[in-house]
Structures are given as C-alpha cells and as structure tokens.
Amino acid sequence: MKKQLLLCLLFLLHLSGYAQKEKFGKYNSNEISYSEVDFEPDADAVVLFEEGVSKFFGEVFETTYHFRIKILKESGIARGDVKIPFYSGDNRTEEISGLKALITNFEGDEPQSIKVDKNQIFEVEVGNGWKEYRITFPNVKVGSILEYTYKKTDKNITLLDGWTFQNDIPTIMSSYSITMIPQLEYKMIGQGTKYNTTSEKTVNNGTYTWTLRKLNSLKAEPYMNNFADYRERVEFQLSRYQKTLYEWEDVLKNWIVLGDEVLRGYTDKGYFRSSPLEKVMDGVDFEGSTELEKAQKAYYYLQQNFQLNTESGFFPDQQISQLVKTKVGSAVELDLALMGILRSMGIECHPILVGSKGSGRSDLVPFPFINQFNSVLLHAKLDGKEYLLDLEDPLAPFGYVDLDKHVKAGLFLTKENSQLVPINIPHNSNSVFTSVLKFDEEKNLIVEGSLRRYFYEGLQMSHRSQNLQKNNEPLHKLFTLDPTWEVVNMDMQDNLKEDNYTTTNYTIKIQGQDSQGAALMMLTPFKIATFSKNPFTQDFRIFPVDFGFAFSETYSTLLEIPEGYELDDYPLKEAISMKNGEVLFSYNPVLMGDKVQIVAKLEVKKPTIDVRQYANLKYFMETVATKMNAPLVLKKVSNP
C-alpha cells in the first residue's frame, strides 16, 4: 500500500534532544583489530554498529541514521557501493539530508580517513515515486571501515518506518530509540527471537530504546526464502491522537474500520462499479449452466487477455476504467476486476487482505496493523461451495492460489463487518515417478521413465519448463543428470488446467555397464530423485524450514535383470519418521524372479519445520539421501 493512502492526521510541534553513542570517525581498538565474526565466520563484512534515533517535529517524523561497516574479506569489497532508498512520491513524502560518508584504512594502528566527495554521492530516480542516494566509497579494501550518517524526514506519521535490527551481513550491535509525544499514541509491534528475549530495552520520559547484539545475517537458506518474516524488528502505527484538550480521535481502531477504509479506496478506484466492466464483458461469453462455469470463464478471460505488471501491494494504482483500456495491471487490480465481473453476474465474492510470505511478518498480530498486509486474494461462493481465487500467477489454473499466499489467516473485507478469517487451501500436491530399467544388446542401461506431478508440484514444474523454453535450454535440465548419460528423448505435457497434473516422459541411455567385462554391475535407480542429495548441509540454521506446502513423492522402479546376471545385493526395507510424524520415509524392495521392484516414498505432512528440529531433519534427510543412492548390485553368473 502506497504511503499516500493514509494521510497525515495532525500538525504538532515537539522538540527532543539527540546524543549519538558513537562519534563519527572515532574507532576503538576492538573495531580496528576486528577480523572475523565469531558467530558467523564466513562473513565477508560486518556491521560493527548501527543506530537510529527518531523524533517528531510538528507534522514531520525525523530519524537520524548512523552506520559503521568493516570489510573482512576480498568478496566484501563490493559493499563499498551503498544504496539508501526513500519514497518521495508526488509531494516529497520522504526526504534525505545531511548525508556524509567516510572511509578509514589502517596502516598498523594509524587511521587514514578519507571523506567521500560530493561527486561520489548522488541521487537516482528508481521509479513509482522511489528514489535512492548512492554512495561510492573510494579505495575500499580488506580492513576498511565504511561509515555514513544522514537524516530522513517523513510526512507520514500514521505509519512509521520503525527499525530492522538485522542486515544481510552480521551485526555486532544495533540500537534504535524513538521519543514519543503525549498528543500521539502508537501501537508498538515487535518481532524476533532476540527482540523478545535478550534485547536491552529502556523507557525514559517517553523515549523508548532497544539494543540488540550479535545478530546473524538475513539471507536465504535452503527451503526458506521468506526469511524477512522472521527478522528482528520493531514498528509502529498510530492508534489515536488528541484533537482538542479533552477529545481524542481513534485511528483504525478495529478490523471493521480498517476494512471499511480499504473498501472505500477500492470504491473510489471504481472496482465496485459495473459500468466500466460492461466494456470488458461486451461480446464475451461468460455464460454457463453453473456459477462455477461462469467464474471459470471470467478467470481465464482475464488471465489470457490482460497482462500482469510488476506492481505489488493490496491497493490498486489504476482506476478500473484505465485497467480496461490498457489491459495491463497489477495482481490486485486483476483480482478486483474478477471480483467485479463475478458480482455483476450475481455471484457472491469478497476480497481478503493477506500478508504474503516474505512481506515481513510470520503471523498476523491481533491489532488492525495495516503494514502486515501486502496482497489480496478472493473468496467466492459458487453453487454453494467456497473457493479461493487469485490471478497472481499467470500459469496457475482456476482455483490455485499463489504459493506466497498460503498463509494462516487474512482479513475478510465486507462493509461494516470485516474480520480475520483462517485460510485453508486444500490440495493434494504430490509427485509419482515410475521407471523401467533394462539392458540393450550392448549392455547399455536403458531407463524409460515417467514423472507425474500434481497440483502445486505440477505448477512448479510448469514454471521451470517455461523458463527453460524462454532461455532456449533443453528440457532435460529439469533434472540433475550425470553428464555421461544420453537423453534419448524427453517430452512434457501440461494438463494442469484439465486434470491438475503435468507429465514428463523420458528415455535415458547409460552406456557401457558391461564394457569392461566386470564381474559386478552397480545401479542406482533413484539418482534423479529430488532428495537423492541432502539439501540441508549447514551445521546450524537460523530460520525454520519451509517446504511451502505439504506434499509426497513416490518413486517406483522395475529392474529387468539381464541374461547372464543375478541380483547379488540390494538395499533392505526401511521405514522411518521424524518425531511427531512431520516427515516420513519408506523404502520397500520386492523380488519377482528375474525382476526386482523398489518403491520409495517421502511424505512431508507439516510444511514448516521449527528451527529447533533442524538437527533432526538434517540427519533424517541424510538417511533418505543415503538410501536413495544405495545401489543394486548385479553379479555375472559363472555358468549361465
């Protein structure tokens, strides 16, 4: 939601003092000698210190920022280019001033400091109201300390920026203070393990201060891209302000008020008016014998005839008439257009605000805090059944919801009755792999296989396939194959829209299994399985594991033992599970004369695994990978 959605509510004057804890350009012996982060030794740079101090000046909210970064390795030198984003908008909502920067190198213990010239600090237009100040530090090398400070003023005092205590590199100390004024009351919302357990918090005459120490870097880990939802952070939203000496005015005091405010914005943009949509519907066949058929036709019409742009948020930038004219819009604009079409046909449909994964919050807070929402999906009643609809993904069939919106709850929007509702997206996402292994006359191993992926597993495969096509890359890159293997043929059929699955068929030749006349042949039938390699190799983990959704993968292979050979050894039957049955694995070989069949199955029943279970998950998945790589051993018969 753009900053201009909620207007500044009042004009007050208040001054408060500011005293920085660290002097600009002055370093202690520990900072000078610091060479490695003890809790993250691979880090190529570290934030030694950062501080934010916020205060109010009338209708303006001002924050002074101070950052001090040290370069630890050659790969960290690129951090000499710094970007400072801010939202200017049409009325200079945010402004940057007082920017200065300094780089210090050391010869022994002697500092050599260079002020960054003004021609190495410049402003850049980014687009959609956003700008950046960019700093290019000179002579950056291992051991350099980069330091910069600036002030940012913000005219929006309803939603305050707050403070994130973590960075994409480790942080030794991060401190934030804000001085409140009596005429404004804010809700403070904090998040993060250290924020809630070990933060040093003080309150003194309306000044709140938090200091956090030894913070790990914020970066993606295997099966966790939405790490921003777990960052250490504090943020604020105005809850009420003093209108007169004896009168107070509430701001977004409950879900109903917030819902009505958003619906009013949608109405102002025309998304509840039918007249512009009549142009869309003119000459288009949306008829059907059921509400479901009508809704499907409307969904696919918008998906196929309108183009998605990259705009995000839950508030539309365009009027509905502009969207109809340009046929290019954001996901929220297309979703709201779909809502309008369905409602014009007498179908009950309402928007739901959600905070998608990666937007900054793992769970909704029980207060109408508007910043926890950043997207929309639709709730429709079709022939008495409830459906969740979403046009975020241009490849997704009707009834699929973008994976980042698979969250626990959202705000159901309806006039004078908006409320939080749980979000449940039922699906049966799984993969079924079948293959037959046999030998040709030259004893080359021929693998004939088929991989069928259902629902969201299939949607992921569809995206990967499309990306390969766009880049003119071969389809076999869908799998990790040994470079010595020959792909005889491979094709893929996308039946997601009709039957909720994709199918990939392939034939692979593995040459020379008996070329040296070896007495033994070793075959690994599940080498291309998703988890034939353990993705969890880190010694420790910062964030939970998020598989995205519950799923299962079943692998079935049939080996035809060639003439002149017999089965000498094979992996034993096994069935294991993690504590509480969150992840299960089974491996079952069956001997059938001159054939052997093996069925392996992995089930992830709980898509999010607590970080405290990481060691158990790592060990479990290593066991799975070992079993999936276990060979079948064929022995040449002495007297066939």
Side-chain angles (χ1 to χ4, degrees), residues 519 563-566 635-640:
E563 186 177 352
Y565 284 83
E566 63 183 5
K635 182 176 69 175
K636 187 172 287 187
V637 180
S638 301
N639 298 301

Side-chain angles (χ1 to χ4, degrees), residues 155-168:
K155 295 177 182 177
N156 180 0
I157 61 173
T158 303
L159 303 171
L160 306 184
D161 279 346
W163 188 259
T164 298
F165 297 91
Q166 285 173 286
N167 299 280
D168 62 345

Side-chain angles (χ1 to χ4, degrees), residues 185-399:
E185 287 188 7
Y186 284 86
K187 285 286 187 179
M188 300 183 190
I189 297 101
Q191 173 177 283
T193 302
K194 288 199 170 185
Y195 175 89
N196 290 309
T197 57
T198 63
S199 65
E200 303 160 28
K201 181 180 178 181
T202 62
V203 182
N204 185 18
N205 292 326
T207 298
Y208 296 79
T209 302
W210 296 265
T211 299
L212 277 66
R213 303 179 189 274
K214 288 194 170 185
L215 297 155
N216 286 100
S217 56
L218 273 172
K219 57 186 178 183
E221 296 178 310
Y223 290 94
M224 174 51 76
N225 293 319
N226 54 308
F227 54 86
D229 293 344
Y230 299 90
R231 60 190 176 177
E232 307 281 347
R233 180 163 172 77
V234 62
E235 45 196 329
F236 310 86
Q237 179 174 295
L238 188 64
S239 60
R240 67 175 191 157
Y241 64 95
Q242 191 172 8
K243 290 179 67 176
T244 66
L245 186 61
Y246 303 104
E247 185 180 8
W248 286 79
E249 181 77 14
D250 290 322
V251 179
L252 301 179
K253 63 181 179 180
N254 55 43
W255 298 114
I256 293 174
V257 173
L258 173 57
D260 286 350
E261 179 78 17
V262 176
L263 289 172
R264 188 177 301 113
Y266 291 168
T267 301
D268 291 344
K269 291 287 187 178
Y271 287 88
F272 282 92
R273 296 203 310 267
S274 61
S275 54
L277 291 170
E278 291 173 358
K279 296 180 181 179
V280 174
M281 301 171 65
D282 185 33
V284 181
D285 177 19
F286 290 142
E287 292 302 314
S289 59
T290 64
E291 291 180 331
L292 177 60
E293 289 180 9
K294 295 176 182 178
Q296 287 174 331
K297 287 184 177 181
Y299 176 92
Y300 287 117
Y301 173 80
L302 290 172
Q303 187 182 66
Q304 295 164 10
N305 292 277
F306 283 68
Q307 183 180 341
L308 272 170
N309 60 29
T310 58
E311 292 292 321
S312 60
F314 67 80
F315 195 75
D317 285 332
Q318 299 182 97
Q319 294 280 343
I320 182 63
S321 56
Q322 293 173 288
L323 175 65
V324 169
K325 181 178 179 180
T326 64
K327 288 187 167 53
V328 178
S330 64
V332 65
E333 289 166 349
L334 295 189
D335 279 344
L336 293 177
L338 175 60
M339 176 194 71
I341 294 174
L342 297 185
R343 291 169 72 101
S344 70
M345 293 190 291
I347 295 174
E348 184 179 344
C349 184
H350 299 274
I352 300 177
L353 296 187
V354 296
S356 63
K357 292 182 179 181
S359 64
R361 186 163 294 281
S362 54
D363 292 299
L364 294 181
V365 296
F367 172 75
F369 185 62
I370 200 167
N371 269 1
Q372 62 189 320
F373 302 110
N374 76 323
S375 196
V376 165
L377 55 86
L378 300 179
H379 175 276
K381 274 193 176 181
L382 306 173
D383 307 311
K385 295 182 179 180
E386 296 183 351
Y387 290 80
L388 293 176
L389 307 178
D390 183 27
L391 280 157
E392 182 92 27
D393 188 334
L395 295 184
F398 178 91

Side-chain angles (χ1 to χ4, degrees), residues 396-611:
F398 178 91
Y400 284 56
V401 173
D402 186 76
L403 285 172
D404 284 341
K405 298 180 186 178
H406 285 227
V407 292
K408 298 176 184 176
L411 180 60
F412 184 92
L413 299 180
T414 182
K415 189 175 181 181
E416 298 181 351
N417 196 31
S418 296
Q419 57 187 298
L420 286 183
V421 294
I423 292 177
N424 180 35
I425 303 173
H427 60 92
N428 185 21
S429 296
N430 58 77
S431 298
V432 178
F433 167 105
T434 58
S435 63
V436 175
L437 281 63
K438 53 189 176 182
F439 292 85
D440 63 13
E441 294 179 354
E442 288 77 32
K443 291 297 188 292
N444 298 312
L445 180 63
I446 307 299
V447 182
E448 296 178 348
S450 174
L451 174 60
R452 182 163 288 184
R453 291 186 180 269
Y454 293 84
F455 287 93
Y456 290 99
E457 289 268 7
L459 182 57
Q460 290 181 330
M461 181 64 81
S462 183
H463 275 287
R464 292 172 61 195
S465 172
Q466 185 185 73
N467 289 336
L468 290 175
Q469 292 177 13
K470 285 182 178 178
N471 296 324
N472 293 316
E473 295 185 90
L475 195 60
H476 66 73
K477 285 196 172 183
L478 290 170
F479 307 95
T480 302
L481 303 178
D482 190 297
T484 63
W485 295 359
E486 178 187 348
V487 179
V488 178
N489 63 65
M490 184 173 290
D491 65 79
M492 178 178 164
Q493 294 93 43
D494 190 332
N495 299 102
L496 278 177
K497 182 177 177 181
E498 300 82 6
D499 299 304
N500 293 306
Y501 64 78
T502 64
T503 304
T504 307
N505 298 304
Y506 58 88
T507 302
I508 295 172
K509 179 190 289 187
I510 305 175
Q511 295 184 352
Q513 295 296 306
D514 191 34
S515 59
Q516 304 300 319
L520 298 176
M521 285 195 294
M522 302 178 68
L523 311 175
T524 306
F526 299 137
K527 203 167 184 177
I528 67 172
T530 305
F531 295 99
S532 62
K533 184 177 180 181
N534 184 6
F536 307 111
T537 58
Q538 302 162 273
D539 292 333
F540 71 96
R541 188 177 174 98
I542 300 170
F543 303 112
V545 174
D546 186 358
F547 288 103
F549 50 87
F551 66 93
S552 68
E553 294 191 353
T554 303
Y555 294 86
S556 176
T557 190
L558 180 68
L559 169 65
E560 298 179 1
I561 301 172
E563 186 177 352
Y565 284 83
E566 63 183 5
L567 185 63
D568 182 64
D569 194 14
Y570 59 93
L572 299 178
K573 182 177 180 179
E574 189 166 6
I576 58 175
S577 67
M578 280 187 63
K579 185 180 179 180
N580 300 326
E582 297 168 329
V583 189
L584 300 90
F585 176 72
S586 62
Y587 189 99
N588 187 28
V590 178
L591 304 181
M592 301 180 294
D594 61 349
K595 297 183 177 70
V596 58
Q597 184 177 44
I598 301 176
V599 178
K601 185 174 184 179
L602 177 74
E603 292 182 84
V604 175
K605 293 192 171 183
K606 183 181 177 183
T608 304
I609 308 297
D610 191 284
V611 68

